[in-house]
């Protein structure tokens, strides 16, 4: 049962207003692709020679003279970047640098105009990193705006999501249809494609949804993991069909968050050398200078973790230093690269270099002075120099060419390696081969009892045989969670093709990395496992899975106080209620083997929605009579009822291991002549999506005698039992003891359920 039709967002379309260069005399600069060429060949140096056509230079000449030519009268105010020679006389390389400076000026003024127009937003980081963002989109990254989902594109992640205005401006100038000038004018407006933090489901060109700091770092590690894994599986000595890089901007806030260091540790352990982290070191956070709470050497920390670390002191005046840092990253084959870029937050403004620049608008005098500094006084808001569009077009045209070359290469790959190509095509089409669900095991009433985590293990390993994209692991609990894929090696730097990921004790990074794997959009189906109580460590990442439509499967075992001896620190009580409150997140609590298989069927099928499968440690029946794998997609259904054509006297509702208590109690009550219905409410979210007629059929509104039984928080159950019903739940933190003793202490026995039911019936 797919959710996309029920939960998808509307897409807004605007007509393009950007010009395209059709001038046949327009010749590209040979330096435009030097970084790409170096990347591809891993050469340590970039050729310095350039060849700019006369037409190209003439098209820029007037604009550059206005911006940079030293005035004859020294009484006139000059730009800090002005030159004292004739622009006509400078060499091509210097000319290109002036072009880049002017493009960055335009980027910054669009940032200022958007914030002033919206009277909202975060201009500080965007202004400070404008030259870095422009340089990546203009000279470095491989992408095709005409096909934003091209598989082999480079990925860009903005972990410091408050700087999204910089990315929106770059996407607009680069030719992405998703960000028109109208969109820049609608920054932070309801329904716009330029929300206050980047959302991948709203704006093409945004790879992942970020905002909470540090999340993007973990996402970027996941994207790099996906690239490395697929390259190890499919690339051949004569044909690399997986070959792209991941770039991530992180800020001081990201540097402080723990998830960043969890993820960075793993990236270095796995030697994900195609990952480049660019740290905006501007020494400011919202409350003030970073010195208030942050004094460590972050480069030393990344170096200790195992990264290639580089510091760039002044990109505002020397972009060559950043270019050389990138070349170092391209030449590194063993380590991810951390580039520390020292910047000025709020560059150009009177707030420059202070925490006041982080967010908010500028006063009129400040805007006037910024315009004067970059010779922009006579231009209307949202002005774009026509040649800036054409400059960016150089890179986007190259991206279109690269995509065509990639498809030609893939045709060769298909002809020479048809078996691997067939599997790769399954992945690129979503990762679900025909009839994949038929592999899921079935159980009979005679099968031996096991915990639902045991039934889950069998499901996962059957799915592994047919799903080429199934990949994942546990936070150091694989043997307890029972998620190890038999027949596959571990994902390690010397076996990147392995599909068992060892995350260590890093729950939060595991979830964030899993989001990156899912949002790589290459057919990989990630799962992440731990104890249900530790989902609290992962909650923000799980929430972002739902917000960004990342189809991660969270496998959470030890799902109740039934785990027993480990006591209340490990016994989840409120976790199910909290997870069920997350929009778009499917939370399953299966009762037996049948429902476990049904949960996997729905979770795997929904590639645009995450799932939590909560599993027991204690043993339950393999096939509780009346359960159905196929009916799990309804969320709730009737497993037994002796009422015939009439309504039941009472309805007992359960989930997980407690469903058998409901069935056992029903048998006692039926012996007393009562008409009893038992309902499995295995997934509240799916049940709530059913039509009213179906829900009335399962839980008739005229039957007010209802009892719910779940060994967790009672919160939320009143919606299903009604005002007169009774909720049997846990309102404390549990206790340490044998699981049956713990269940008895809190009333989870057939006898107690029957007693409560009798009290309602009387």
């Amino acid at each position: 049962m797919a959710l996309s039709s029920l939960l998808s967002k509307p897409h807004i379309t605007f007509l393009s207003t950007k010009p395209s260069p059709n001038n046949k005399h327009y010749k590209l600069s040979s330096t435009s692709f030097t970084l790409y060429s170096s990347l591809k060949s891993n050469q340590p140096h970039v050729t310095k020679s350039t060849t700019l056509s006369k037409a190209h230079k003439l098209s820029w000449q007037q604009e550059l003279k206005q911006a940079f030519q030293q005035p004859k009268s020294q009484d006139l105010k000059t730009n800090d970047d002005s030159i004292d020679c004739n622009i006509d006389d400078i060499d091509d390389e210097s000319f290109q640098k002036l072009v880049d400076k002017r493009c960055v000026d335009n980027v910054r003024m669009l940032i200022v105009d958007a914030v002033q127009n919206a009277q909202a937003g975060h201009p500080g980081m965007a202004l400070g990193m404008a030259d870095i963002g422009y340089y990546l989109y203009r000279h470095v990254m491989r992408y095709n705006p005409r096909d934003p989902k091209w598989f082999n594109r480079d990925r860009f992640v903005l972990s410091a999501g408050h700087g999204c205005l910089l990315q929106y401006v770059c996407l607009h100038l680069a030719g992405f249809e998703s960000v028109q000038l109208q969109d820049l004018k609608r920054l932070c407006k309801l329904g716009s494609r330029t929300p206050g933090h980047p959302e991948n489901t709203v704006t093409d060109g945004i790879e992942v949804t970020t905002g909470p700091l540090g999340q993007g770092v973990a996402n970027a590690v996941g994207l790099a993991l996906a690239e490395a894994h697929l390259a190890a599986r499919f690339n051949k000595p004569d044909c690399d069909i997986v070959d792209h890089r991941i770039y991530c901007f992180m800020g001081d806030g990201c540097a402080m968050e723990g998830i960043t260091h969890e993820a960075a540790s793993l990236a270095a352990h796995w030697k994900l050398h195609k990952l480049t982290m660019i740290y905006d070191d501007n020494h400011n956070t919202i409350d003030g200078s970073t010195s208030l709470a942050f004094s460590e050497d972050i480069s030393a920390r990344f170096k200790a973790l195992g990264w290639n670390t580089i510091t760039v002191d002044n990109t505002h005046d020397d972009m060559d230093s950043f270019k050389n840092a990138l070349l170092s990253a391209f030449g590194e084959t063993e380590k991810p690269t951390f580039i520390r870029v020292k910047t000025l937050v709020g560059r150009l403004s009177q707030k420059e270099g202070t925490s006041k620049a982080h967010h908010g608008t500028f006063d009129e005098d400040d805007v006037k002075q910024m315009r004067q500094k970059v010779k922009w006084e006579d231009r209307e808001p949202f002005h774009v120099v026509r040649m800036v569009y054409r400059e960016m077009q150089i890179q986007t045209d190259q991206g279109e060419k690269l995509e065509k070359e990639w498809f030609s290469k893939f045709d060769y790959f298909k002809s020479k390696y048809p078996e691997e190509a067939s599997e790769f095509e399954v992945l690129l089409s979503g990762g679900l081969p025909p009839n994949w669900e038929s592999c899921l095991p079935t159980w009979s009433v005679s099968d031996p009892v096991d915990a639902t985590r045991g039934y889950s293990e069998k499901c996962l390993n059957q799915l592994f045989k047919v799903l080429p994209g199934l990949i994942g692991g546990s936070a150091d609990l694989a043997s307890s969670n029972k998620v190890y894929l038999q027949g596959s090696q571990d994902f390690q730097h010397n076996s990147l093709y392995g599909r068992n990921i060892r995350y260590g004790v890093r729950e939060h990074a595991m979830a964030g990395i899993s989001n990156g794997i899912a949002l790589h959009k290459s057919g990989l189906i990630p799962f992440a496992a731990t104890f249900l109580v530790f989902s609290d460590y992962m909650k923000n990442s799980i929430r972002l899975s739902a917000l960004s439509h990342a189809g991660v499967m969270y496998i959470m075992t030890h799902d109740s106080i039934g785990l027993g001896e480990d006591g209340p620190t490990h016994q989840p009580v409120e976790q199910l209620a909290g997870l069920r409150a997350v929009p778009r997140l499917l939370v399953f609590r299966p009762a037996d083997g049948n429902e476990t298989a049904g949960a996997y069927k729905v979770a795997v099928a929904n590639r645009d929605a995450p799932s939590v499968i909560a599993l027991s440690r204690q043993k339950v029946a393999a096939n509780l009579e009346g359960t159905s794998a196929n009916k799990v997609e309804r969320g709730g259904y009737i497993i037994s009822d002796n009422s015939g054509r009439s309504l039941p006297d009472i309805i007992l509702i359960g989930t997980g291991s407690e469903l058998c208590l409901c069935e056992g109690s029903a048998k006692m009550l039926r012996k007393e002549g009562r008409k009893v219905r038992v309902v499995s409410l295995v997934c509240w979210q799916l049940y709530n999506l059913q039509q009213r007629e179906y829900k009335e059929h399962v839980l008739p509104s005229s039957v007010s005698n209802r009892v719910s039984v779940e060994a967790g928080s009672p919160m939320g159950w009143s919606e299903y039992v009604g005002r007169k019903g009774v909720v049997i739940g846990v309102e404390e933190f549990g206790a340490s003891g044998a699981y049956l003793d713990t269940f008895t202490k809190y009333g989870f026995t057939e006898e107690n359920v029957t007693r409560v039911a009798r009290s309602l019936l009387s």
Side-chain angles (χ1 to χ4, degrees), residues 452 559 580 588-592 595 614 616 618 620 624 654-661 680-682 709-710:
T452 51
D559 68 343
R580 284 166 175 159
F588 300 89
R589 190 163 183 255
D592 63 359
E595 288 197 342
S616 72
Q618 67 273 23
V620 294
L624 182 62
T655 71
S657 57
E658 295 80 77
L659 186 63
C660 67
L661 300 181
S680 170
L681 206 61
V682 60
V709 187
E710 184 175 72

Side-chain angles (χ1 to χ4, degrees), residues 459-597:
C459 290
L460 266 180
N461 278 281
Q462 289 301 111
L463 289 167
F464 169 68
K465 296 176 182 178
V466 299
L467 297 179
L470 188 66
I471 182 172
S474 169
D476 198 49
L477 290 168
S479 58
S480 292
N481 301 145
K482 296 188 178 296
V483 294
Y484 196 80
L485 301 175
Q486 303 298 327
S488 175
Q489 288 186 261
D490 290 349
F491 176 87
Q492 297 289 355
H493 66 87
N494 57 354
S495 56
L496 295 169
Y497 47 81
R499 289 158 68 181
N500 287 300
I501 303 176
R502 301 288 194 174
Y503 285 107
V505 189
R506 301 183 184 91
E507 292 90 353
H508 201 183
M510 173 176 67
I513 289 169
S514 296
N515 282 337
I517 296 171
L519 295 173
H520 192 256
K521 295 295 183 183
S522 53
L524 295 179
I525 302 174
F527 62 87
T530 187
F531 291 170
L532 179 59
V533 75
F534 299 147
S535 65
D536 289 340
Y537 276 133
M538 309 159 64
K539 185 65 177 299
N540 219 334
S541 294
I542 294 174
R543 183 177 188 270
L544 286 172
S545 299
L547 182 59
S548 58
H549 299 196
V552 179
M553 295 191 298
Y554 294 99
I555 301 170
M556 306 290 191
T557 67
H558 297 58
D559 68 343
S560 75
I561 61 170
L563 67 89
E565 291 83 356
D566 278 342
T569 63
H570 283 53
Q571 292 174 3
V573 173
E574 74 280 12
Q575 281 70 25
L576 283 171
L579 292 167
R580 284 166 175 159
V582 178
R584 289 188 60 87
L585 178 65
L586 302 179
V587 181
F588 300 89
R589 190 163 183 255
D592 63 359
N594 286 335
E595 288 197 342
T596 303

Side-chain angles (χ1 to χ4, degrees), residues 135 162 214 262 319 338 514 533 566 620 637 677 731 753 757:
Y135 198 81
H162 53 270
E262 289 183 28
M319 280 304 297
F338 177 81
S514 296
V533 75
D566 278 342
V620 294
Y637 63 98
R677 174 176 295 181
E731 299 192 62
V753 174

Side-chain angles (χ1 to χ4, degrees), residues 647-668:
L647 291 172
D649 298 326
I650 192 169
I651 302 175
L652 306 180
I653 314 168
T655 71
S657 57
E658 295 80 77
L659 186 63
C660 67
L661 300 181
C662 295
E663 185 62 21
S665 175
K667 290 178 180 178
M668 292 184 186

Side-chain angles (χ1 to χ4, degrees), residues 30 71 78 83 108 138 145 191 210 253 267 281 286 347 392 458 486 544 563 566 568 586 632 636 660 665 678 712 751:
S30 65
T78 63
I83 59 174
R108 286 198 171 102
R138 167 61 185 88
T210 59
D281 182 17
I286 294 175
R347 173 77 170 172
M392 296 294 286
K458 293 180 175 63
Q486 303 298 327
L544 286 172
L563 67 89
D566 278 342
L586 302 179
V632 168
C660 67
S665 175
V678 177
E751 292 75 16

Side-chain angles (χ1 to χ4, degrees), residues 388-400:
V388 174
Y389 283 132
R390 298 187 63 174
E391 191 70 23
M392 296 294 286
Q393 191 77 37
I394 297 171
Q395 193 76 359
T396 58
D397 285 346
Q398 176 70 357
E400 187 172 21

Side-chain angles (χ1 to χ4, degrees), residues 93 123 136 311-312 349 384 430 575 592 594 680 687-688 691 731:
E93 184 175 354
L136 286 177
T311 297
V312 178
S349 79
V384 179
Q575 281 70 25
D592 63 359
N594 286 335
S680 170
Y687 179 76
N688 293 342
Q691 294 183 348
E731 299 192 62

